[in-house]
Amino acid sequence: MNHLPVDDIARYTGATRVGSLAEGSISHLLIDSRKLLFPESTLFFAIRTDRGDGHLYVEDLYRKGVRHFVVEKIPELSTLPEASFYLTSDVVQVLQKLAATHRMQFDIPVIGITGSNGKTIVKEWLYHVLHAAKNIVRSPRSYNSQLGVPLSVWQLSPEHELGIFEAGVSKKGEMQNLNSIIRPTIGIMTNIGDAHSEGFDSLAQKLEEKCSFFEGADTVVYCKDHANIDQQLNAMLASGKIKQLLSWGKQPGANIRLCHTETKGVQTILHLEEKGVRTQFSIPFQDQAAIENAMHCYATARLLEIDQAFLKSLEDLPPLQMRLELKEGQQGCTLINDSYNADLTGVVSAIEFMALQQETKQRTVVLSAISGINGSPSAAYQQIARLLQLKGVRKLFAVGKAFSEHLHFFREAGMEVSFHEETAFLLKDPALLSLRNELVLIKGARKYGLEQISQRLESKNHQTRLEVDLSAIASNFNQFKETMGPDTKIMAMVKAFSYGAGSFEVANLLQFYHVDQIAVAYVDEGVELRKAGITVPIMVMNTELQGFQSLVDHNLEPELYSMEIIAALHAYLKAEGISFFPVHLKLDTGMHRLGLDVADCTVFLEKYAHAREFSIKSVFTHLVAAEDPASDDFTHQQLDRFEQMCGMIQAGLGYHFIRHAANTAASVRHPRAAYEMVRLGIGMYGIDTGKSGLLLQESVSLKTTIAQIRKVAKGESVGYGRKAIVERDSLIATIRIGYADGFPRTLGNGNGRVWIAGKTYPVIGNVCMDMTMIDITESSGIGLEEEVLIFGPVHSIVQVAKDAGTIPYEIMTGISQRVPRLYLSA
């Protein structure tokens, strides 16, 4: 563990120390107040972004024991007498300078990886191949940004023999910072492509920026088959910016020549030639991306002169998920599956993720023996025990012989501990199988096979699944937030089971990112969110008389859309003696569905302008066709009516309220409609109905698998009703999805297509209740259990909805509850 004397913070960074001058040392750097673990040795960086301001959390962290803060403005010192502040004009720069200074203390090989794709996989595979030979420190997950890199490098300690860090940039000029922090002695350039190109004028500019990361490196590993990379790196070699190149590839002149590959079952055998010597190794993958990633690892291991025994580990490269999986378990449990590695950094990261879940369930951890410990194993296990205690974990299932002598740390921390030397024994433990209404983190090294625990505890085994990319939702939400600016609030729509994606999981994510308000359709949905730990304000859109008590009991805010519901709620609140209950008033400006018209507003003000029972928190309307340019005149007519009615209401009430009219499409297409708040719905899931120009990511993927493949002769029929007669000898795949899962019958008989192994194939015959047939005659190599994408980022739900003759909203909300949801988080 690092110990930086606090006096050195100002000396290394140029910041000015203000407040307490007490001595001490720093071991932990913190940029997210919600991830506080060890307050007494933490330095907090109050970073300002378009999404928030770290200065707002200084007082709360002080109350929790933090005493050292890097800030751009000094708070009131009288309320924080023991705090030390390090004043600067750029908090992020101070973070980077500290990390860069820390890096200079270590004279060990450091591998720096950059490129458009594959950085995290290459890093994790390198760790898999090399960790038995070296004590390694590496970036947690995909910490490769201007903030993630300094936090990664800060982990370096004297016990480490090798560092492996990623570097990613989004615009020109960023890589110089990362180069000065990581200072790679060995570079790996994975590839160059269109991913994350928005901040560059051209691919050539992006390549030049990426390769500048390697300035000062001893050796750069790359694939010579990529001509533009080869040219750029050789130019740097000629100018003396790098010392030598180690290339691999099929091209003549590569230092390690990939002569050919062959496939055997699920394995690919790579045949190589190096300095006239032939060799080979195999990997458990067949795709070209995996071959490239494995070759980067092979070449780097040869450069490090690792014993040839490492070739055996290439045969067992893990199929990295790269993301935590949050899924529904049996008996009311929620599972977090991260059963692919168990080094100390990864364990801490997974526990932090668990702690961020707002579920009120008891917390349980299934943990294998920790791998790759640098220094004292006892200290590492003691740290994990303390962390689990701080995060409220009550039960621990420990697996692995190495765990046995450290179990006392966890028992002393008040946990109920079950220990098994092997996973096979844990699978038979009645205590594991009887878990009920608990949040269960499953974290382990791959060799322990803890994915078996996840499979045993999952609630549904239906192979059709809806994958929800929480990272993509967060990215989309934050893009809208930045576009709206800091003065415009955001209400997120999580009605209809969050458009099918899962209400709690999405609401919990949005709460993490400081959404201002969420909206649900019915009071029962709001009650469930409150019980699950959601604390942000919740508006209920369909207010019902019988739900008044639940509204009050669970602090839910009703939408009032008619004089009848207003009168009923007023009478209820008056009878209960409740004052100033927050409500939202809905106006009808042209939808003619729900809401008050001008005449209703007049009556409302006459009766309730001075009522104390409720207060109007917001007034809003629905726009009929905000996404349609042909209806823009009508949209502006609606906004004119809305502004007129709001002026009338405000004059009558005598106080201000929030106005909102913009849905996802209007939030960008009609800036006038933003007012004080916008309502985001399907846009959070990457469906851009208003052609916003934002770089939204589709966040929901519906997937299934192939149950059977059969040959059908020319003239034979397929499916119910003999609607499809094949006109040639055909190959037909039956997939495990039907209209009971939410796959519309209108996609039958060639109207719809699915995505398999990079190509689309048509639906043939009628869609059945639980199965659908696909014509794969034009395919090559598709097999049983092959994954089938119904819709997702590469096969857009927008096109699927068009093929079905409907809209994306209906497709998303129509996914059956029998289809399990799998939540992915980066």
Side-chain angles (χ1 to χ4, degrees):
M1 184 178 294
N2 303 313
H3 298 283
L4 173 69
V6 294
D7 291 338
D8 289 344
I9 297 173
R11 183 161 62 90
Y12 290 158
T13 67
T16 302
R17 188 174 182 183
V18 179
S20 171
L21 299 179
E23 295 181 355
S25 64
I26 295 300
S27 298
H28 302 91
L29 308 184
L30 181 69
I31 63 173
D32 186 336
S33 62
R34 292 160 292 190
K35 295 184 177 182
L36 178 65
L37 300 176
F38 306 104
E40 66 280 358
S41 57
T42 289
L43 175 62
F44 177 68
F45 295 82
I47 296 172
R48 298 177 195 261
T49 69
D50 292 334
R51 305 170 189 174
D53 184 353
H55 294 81
L56 299 176
Y57 306 102
V58 167
E59 290 192 20
D60 180 58
L61 289 169
Y62 181 86
R63 286 192 295 271
K64 293 177 179 178
V66 178
R67 292 296 180 264
H68 298 279
F69 305 88
V70 179
V71 297
E72 293 172 7
K73 63 178 182 180
I74 302 292
E76 175 54 54
L77 294 177
S78 62
T79 61
L80 309 168
E82 299 177 8
S84 292
F85 295 98
Y86 304 87
L87 184 63
T88 178
S89 61
D90 190 335
V91 171
V92 173
Q93 190 177 79
V94 169
L95 171 65
Q96 294 176 340
K97 284 182 177 179
L98 277 181
T101 303
H102 182 67
R103 164 69 180 94
M104 291 175 67
Q105 300 176 30
F106 299 91
D107 184 20
I108 61 172
V110 169
I111 300 171
I113 307 170
T114 194
S116 294
N117 302 103
K119 297 183 291 294
T120 303
I121 292 177
V122 170
K123 177 198 68 185
E124 294 299 323
W125 281 2
L126 274 174
Y127 178 81
H128 175 81
V129 169
L130 302 175
H131 77 277
K134 302 277 188 181
N135 281 333
I136 298 174
V137 59
R138 70 192 195 280
S139 307
R141 299 195 174 274
S142 53
Y143 274 37
N144 57 31
S145 67
Q146 299 291 309
L147 298 178
V149 166
L151 296 179
S152 299
V153 170
W154 182 256
Q155 300 174 106
L156 274 167
S157 65
E159 296 84 9
H160 292 127
E161 300 171 298
L162 176 67
I164 309 176
F165 302 110
E166 299 178 47
V169 292
S170 58
K171 60 184 179 182
K172 185 173 174 58
E174 290 185 334
M175 195 57 94
Q176 182 179 355
N177 290 336
L178 303 188
N179 171 274
S180 66
I181 298 168
I182 296 176
R183 294 177 63 224
T185 59
I186 298 171
I188 299 176
M189 183 68 184
T190 59
N191 52 53
I192 192 73
D194 294 329
H196 315 298
S197 294
E198 301 78 27
F200 301 96
D201 295 335
S202 64
L203 190 65
Q205 185 188 68
K206 179 180 176 181
L207 176 60
E208 183 180 2
E209 178 73 14
K210 293 271 187 182
C211 288
S212 69
F213 175 56
F214 303 125
E215 291 187 16
D218 295 331
T219 306
V220 178
V221 175
Y222 73 103
C223 176
K224 194 174 182 65
D225 299 340
H226 299 303
N228 51 355
I229 295 176
D230 184 50
Q231 182 179 357
Q232 179 68 30
L233 290 177
N234 273 286
M236 293 179 68
L237 179 67
S239 66
K241 293 180 178 178
I242 52 181
K243 296 179 181 178
Q244 70 172 2
L245 298 175
L246 175 59
S247 63
W248 66 267
K250 297 178 181 178
Q251 296 292 325
N255 300 112
I256 302 172
R257 187 146 179 264
L258 178 58
C259 301
H260 68 278
T261 62
E262 61 177 306
T263 302
K264 286 190 176 181
V266 298
Q267 297 278 323
T268 298
I269 302 173
L270 286 73
H271 295 267
L272 313 176
E273 181 179 344
E274 182 180 2
K275 296 179 180 178
V277 178
R278 295 267 181 161
T279 188
Q280 67 181 52
F281 69 91
S282 65
I283 60 172
F285 304 98
Q286 298 179 0
D287 59 287
Q288 183 60 37
I291 292 171
E292 282 202 13
N293 294 333
M295 281 301 303
H296 288 311
C297 295
Y298 174 86
T300 305
R302 297 289 293 134
L303 177 65
L304 291 169
E305 299 181 344
I306 303 298
D307 189 277
Q308 284 276 33
F310 84 88
L311 290 175
K312 191 69 178 175
S313 64
L314 291 167
E315 298 177 5
D316 190 34
L317 290 173
L320 299 180
Q321 289 294 111
M322 306 314 305
R323 300 176 177 193
L324 292 162
E325 300 174 341
L326 184 66
K327 60 183 74 174
E328 183 181 349
Q330 298 175 8
Q331 303 182 110
C333 290
T334 299
L335 309 181
I336 302 172
N337 181 32
D338 192 15
S339 54
Y340 299 94
N341 63 66
D343 63 294
L344 186 58
T345 301
V347 171
V348 171
S349 177
I351 295 170
E352 288 177 347
F353 179 81
M354 178 188 68
L356 292 174
Q357 307 310 305
Q358 296 297 317
E359 299 212 27
T360 56
K361 299 172 181 177
Q362 180 171 299
R363 293 175 176 181
T364 292
V365 171
V366 179
L367 180 64
S368 79
I370 301 170
S371 60
I373 294 176
N374 302 305
S376 166
S378 292
Y381 281 96
Q382 189 172 21
Q383 178 185 346
I384 294 301
R386 182 184 176 191
L387 180 55
L388 292 178
Q389 182 185 37
L390 287 171
K391 300 306 179 184
V393 174
R394 303 287 298 279
K395 294 179 185 175
L396 172 70
F397 292 89
V399 181
K401 292 180 180 179
F403 223 129
S404 59
E405 58 188 275
H406 307 293
L407 296 174
H408 64 95
F409 292 126
F410 300 88
R411 293 189 173 112
E412 290 164 3
M415 275 168 265
E416 178 183 330
V417 178
S418 296
F419 170 69
H420 299 279
E421 289 190 356
E422 298 178 12
T423 302
F425 300 139
L426 174 57
L427 285 166
K428 300 175 183 178
D429 189 335
L432 177 74
L433 303 178
S434 63
L435 292 176
R436 184 181 299 274
N437 296 319
E438 300 192 29
L439 179 62
V440 184
L441 169 64
I442 303 167
K443 178 67 177 172
R446 186 166 181 260
K447 69 178 182 179
Y448 290 100
L450 292 191
E451 65 272 11
Q452 300 172 73
I453 305 298
S454 178
Q455 293 164 5
R456 178 67 62 86
L457 297 180
E458 284 180 37
S459 65
K460 300 172 183 175
N461 293 316
H462 190 15
Q463 291 191 41
T464 299
R465 65 194 185 278
L466 188 71
E467 293 185 357
V468 182
D469 186 342
L470 297 177
S471 298
I473 294 175
S475 173
N476 296 336
F477 173 78
N478 285 321
Q479 285 188 66
F480 279 108
K481 191 173 182 180
E482 291 171 12
T483 302
M484 294 302 102
D487 297 327
T488 304
K489 299 179 184 295
I490 292 182
M491 175 185 286
M493 313 304 288
V494 296
K495 62 180 182 176
F497 197 51
S498 284
Y499 295 81
S503 298
F504 166 72
E505 290 78 10
V506 174
N508 187 45
L509 175 77
L510 296 172
Q511 180 169 272
F512 181 92
Y513 284 99
H514 307 297
V515 71
D516 298 289
Q517 181 112 20
I518 61 177
V520 298
Y522 294 99
V523 67
D524 290 347
E525 296 174 338
V527 170
E528 288 304 311
L529 290 177
R530 285 285 186 250
K531 289 181 177 179
I534 301 301
T535 59
V536 296
I538 299 175
M539 181 177 81
V540 177
M541 303 188 72
N542 297 299
T543 307
E544 298 171 312
L545 293 148
Q546 59 268 37
F548 288 169
Q549 186 64 51
S550 292
L551 289 171
V552 173
D553 290 346
H554 297 280
N555 193 26
L556 305 173
E557 302 170 1
E559 168 191 313
L560 303 182
Y561 51 81
S562 71
M563 291 307 300
E564 292 78 11
I565 202 75
I566 292 171
L569 180 64
H570 179 264
Y572 170 81
L573 295 173
K574 188 170 184 177
E576 294 293 321
I578 297 171
S579 299
F580 304 112
F581 193 74
V583 299
H584 302 261
L585 200 62
K586 182 172 186 178
L587 307 183
D588 180 12
T589 60
M591 175 75 81
H592 302 323
R593 184 176 61 180
L594 295 174
L596 307 186
D597 58 22
V598 174
D600 291 329
C601 290
T602 301
V603 175
F604 170 78
L605 291 172
E606 289 173 353
K607 290 187 175 183
Y608 304 110
H610 303 294
R612 295 176 53 84
E613 285 72 24
F614 50 64
S615 62
I616 306 301
K617 182 174 180 179
S618 83
V619 176
F620 71 103
T621 192
H622 268 84
L623 300 179
V624 174
E627 74 283 354
D628 183 7
S631 298
D632 282 353
D633 287 345
F634 186 77
T635 297
H636 287 293
Q637 290 175 28
Q638 282 195 272
L639 296 176
D640 290 340
R641 292 189 199 113
F642 179 62
E643 290 170 7
Q644 179 185 4
M645 294 168 76
C646 283
M648 172 185 172
I649 295 169
Q650 185 164 312
L653 293 176
Y655 60 83
H656 293 282
F657 45 76
I658 296 169
R659 299 171 299 166
H660 50 110
N663 57 8
T664 297
S667 67
V668 177
R669 288 202 69 246
H670 299 284
R672 170 190 174 188
Y675 300 117
E676 292 79 42
M677 183 159 68
V678 299
R679 300 188 301 272
L680 291 186
I682 203 165
M684 292 188 299
Y685 307 98
I687 314 302
D688 195 355
T689 57
K691 297 179 173 57
S692 67
L694 300 178
L695 301 173
L696 303 181
Q697 306 171 46
E698 289 196 24
S699 59
V700 179
S701 301
L702 181 61
K703 298 179 179 180
T704 189
T705 55
I706 294 175
Q708 187 180 50
I709 297 174
R710 69 167 65 246
K711 294 178 180 178
V712 177
K714 178 181 178 181
E716 293 289 327
S717 64
V718 176
Y720 284 121
R722 305 197 73 230
K723 296 296 183 183
I725 308 296
V726 298
E727 298 178 353
R728 59 180 177 176
D729 291 345
S730 300
L731 196 62
I732 305 300
T734 301
I735 62 175
R736 295 180 172 96
I737 193 171
Y739 58 77
D741 300 296
F743 190 70
R745 291 189 79 244
T746 51
L747 290 174
N749 299 302
N751 292 323
R753 302 180 72 87
V754 300
W755 180 281
I756 309 174
K759 291 179 62 178
T760 61
Y761 298 92
V763 176
I764 184 170
N766 284 324
V767 174
C768 307
M769 181 181 290
D770 307 303
M771 296 285 180
T772 299
M773 284 69 73
I774 308 298
D775 187 345
I776 61 169
T777 307
E778 300 295 332
S779 71
S780 60
I782 291 177
L784 290 175
E785 306 303 327
E786 189 100 18
E787 184 174 87
V788 179
L789 179 68
I790 306 303
F791 61 75
V794 297
H795 184 48
S796 176
I797 189 174
V798 176
Q799 182 61 50
V800 173
K802 183 178 180 181
D803 293 341
T806 185
I807 56 178
Y809 296 82
E810 184 174 348
I811 298 292
M812 283 187 65
T813 59
I815 304 303
S816 169
Q817 290 300 299
R818 82 177 188 180
V819 175
R821 272 66 174 170
L822 177 63
Y823 298 93
L824 307 176
S825 179

